[in-house]
Amino acid sequence: MDSYSDSPPCSLRHPDGAAVAWCTSRAPVPYPQAVQLMQQRIEAIHDGEAAEMVWLLEHPPLYSAGTSARAQDLKDPDRFEVFRSGRGGQYTYHGPGQRVAYVMLDLRARGRDVRAFVRALEDWIILALAGYGVHGEVREERVGVWVRRGSGAAAHEDKIAAIGIRLRRWISFHGIALNVRPDLSHFDGIVPCGISGHGVTSLAALGCDDDMATADTALRKAFCRVFGETGDAAAPMP
């Protein structure tokens, strides 16, 4: 078992200190449009025509299937629309109350190390959770960030954040999803990330402040510690 919150965060800062564009869409963003806009942005980043970007948003309720998704893990295929995704991982849920952060960074300038990048994403989430007094941890055999709940015979671990990324010519896209206040019953239609025997939780379920703006502030502050400075930018969709 691994906990990164007790060690210094992994740093993947850009060597020239360039600020990452930071933007937020206020209205729910349809999944296909989000993927199309990410793809356009990473091409522009690769060609030196646009800055790196983190895009915060919420999606309408949906299930997304990563490249390793197994048919048997989609337990209720008629519940929500299902989208095939090029990101790594298996099935996940996106919907209102979940903060999705799409991370479009140029790893040519940040070390070309996929493992270090994933570690940095984990540390980012763990640092953000620490601001709530929540102890997030990672497990070698389970992707995402987890919290321990209960004690003794009732002790268990629930997933509070998912990670699913893809690289194209060393530019990242897709990213992370933090459960702020989603309807957790919506996860019942899938085996989240192909991991059975464990539950899901949220900041709201843990009794934390579930205001989305508060979560955004925590995420931005933690991001700066791991990846470097950010600058306000217009979102690809309002």
Side-chain angles (χ1 to χ4, degrees), residues 2 8 18 38 41 55 86 94 104 112 119 126 156 185 217 229-230:
D2 300 299
M38 276 194 290
R41 183 72 180 205
W55 181 16
H94 294 311
M104 291 158 270
R112 295 178 186 255
R119 165 73 187 274
I126 288 169
H156 61 284
S185 72
T217 298
E229 295 305 311
T230 62

Side-chain angles (χ1 to χ4, degrees), residues 60-221:
L62 63 93
Y63 295 133
S64 135
T67 54
S68 302
R70 300 172 298 191
Q72 65 267 30
D73 289 340
L74 181 60
K75 298 190 293 182
D76 189 353
D78 298 323
R79 187 166 191 177
F80 300 122
E81 196 166 3
V82 180
F83 294 95
R84 293 287 164 182
S85 169
R87 62 162 175 80
Q90 302 188 39
Y91 281 105
T92 193
Y93 165 76
H94 294 311
Q98 183 191 68
R99 176 53 86 209
V100 173
Y102 286 136
V103 183
M104 291 158 270
L105 298 181
D106 187 349
L107 298 192
R108 296 173 300 178
R110 294 177 183 264
R112 295 178 186 255
D113 187 329
V114 177
R115 287 181 179 272
F117 180 51
V118 173
R119 165 73 187 274
L121 294 172
E122 293 167 341
D123 278 355
W124 171 27
I125 298 166
I126 288 169
L127 285 169
L129 291 173
Y132 289 90
V134 173
H135 186 74
E137 300 178 82
V138 297
R139 298 290 178 258
E140 190 66 33
E141 72 281 9
R142 286 185 257 131
V143 69
V145 175
W146 301 78
V147 294
R148 300 189 213 187
R149 306 189 68 187
S151 59
H156 61 284
E157 294 183 341
D158 290 339
K159 190 173 192 174
I160 195 167
I163 297 172
I165 61 166
R166 185 174 179 181
L167 299 180
R168 182 175 294 167
R169 295 191 292 176
W170 288 106
I171 313 298
S172 69
F173 60 122
H174 297 280
I176 70 166
L178 174 65
N179 295 333
V180 180
R181 54 168 187 267
D183 183 338
L184 295 178
S185 72
H186 288 180
F187 286 88
D188 294 344
I190 57 172
V191 178
C193 299
I195 301 169
S196 57
H198 298 277
V200 291
T201 192
S202 66
L203 290 172
L206 295 174
C208 299
D209 182 351
D210 64 359
D211 178 66
M212 193 64 74
T214 302
D216 291 348
T217 298
L219 284 168
R220 188 168 187 173
K221 181 178 179 181

